[in-house]
Amino acid sequence: MNAELHYRPATAADLDEVVGFPQNVDELFFCYPKAVWPLNVGQLAAAIAERRESTVAELDGRVAGFANFYQWQHGEFCALGNLMVAPWARSRGVAQYLVEVMETLARQRYKAPLMKVSCFNANAGGLLLYTGLGYRTVGIVERRAPDGSRVALVQLEKPLP
């Protein structure tokens, strides 16, 4: 793991920064499909309230990434959600680090033998990240993009040792 990266629980003070991570409608759709552009603190706070383990990654002392679980079943699985990385921190290992942190939290706190992720077909970076970390496709379901067009939501899973 990158020695410059650290993680901690997200706090209310982080929200102003995190809402700026998605740079356009597509990026917001990829990380938080139910949100309305532009992401604001109210929308993110609502997501945090109904999710678990909202976590930030810090790079060089700055908030660089955010993720949480949108589903969790103790002893069964956790599902990763809202994964987003600050524009200035992209291509620096933040997303991989954060996925690995969330896998550890799933194992340690939820005794989860399985992590689930979902990724839209147009999110090449996400698909490459997850498959590179050992996630395998288990399903594809139809969803609608903000413009109403059909998109494929690729469902992936990874056993957690």
Side-chain angles (χ1 to χ4, degrees):
M1 289 200 184
N2 188 329
E4 300 167 348
L5 283 162
H6 304 280
Y7 75 94
R8 61 174 172 75
T11 67
D14 298 320
L15 302 188
D16 278 331
E17 183 125 7
V18 173
V19 297
F21 291 179
Q23 295 294 287
N24 55 52
V25 171
D26 289 338
E27 286 187 10
L28 179 58
F29 181 64
F30 293 163
C31 68
Y32 188 5
K34 292 179 182 171
V36 176
W37 177 260
L39 183 59
N40 61 45
V41 169
Q43 290 182 91
L44 187 57
I48 289 171
E50 61 189 24
R51 295 174 180 224
R52 295 288 180 272
E53 304 298 335
S54 288
T55 301
V56 294
E58 293 182 333
L59 177 62
D60 301 327
R62 294 174 64 190
V63 176
F66 176 86
N68 54 36
F69 297 136
Y70 71 92
Q71 293 178 331
W72 56 94
Q73 289 290 330
H74 193 86
E76 293 182 34
F77 73 91
C78 288
L80 181 69
N82 291 150
L83 178 64
M84 51 185 110
V85 175
W88 63 267
R90 293 178 184 174
S91 300
R92 295 184 63 187
V94 175
Q96 178 175 334
Y97 172 78
L98 205 43
V99 171
E100 291 169 351
V101 164
M102 299 307 287
E103 289 173 355
T104 299
L105 294 176
R107 278 192 307 269
Q108 291 178 349
R109 298 185 183 168
Y110 296 85
K111 307 298 181 224
L114 185 71
M115 178 78 97
K116 297 181 178 188
V117 299
S118 293
C119 189
F120 288 101
N121 63 290
N123 185 355
L127 291 170
L128 293 168
L129 169 72
Y130 296 130
T131 57
L133 291 173
Y135 287 81
R136 296 293 167 248
T137 302
V138 296
I140 298 177
V141 295
E142 183 175 328
R143 292 288 189 264
R144 294 286 171 182
D147 68 3
S149 63
R150 296 169 69 202
V151 294
L153 183 63
V154 181
Q155 299 170 321
L156 305 104
E157 293 181 352
K158 177 183 176 181
L160 299 177

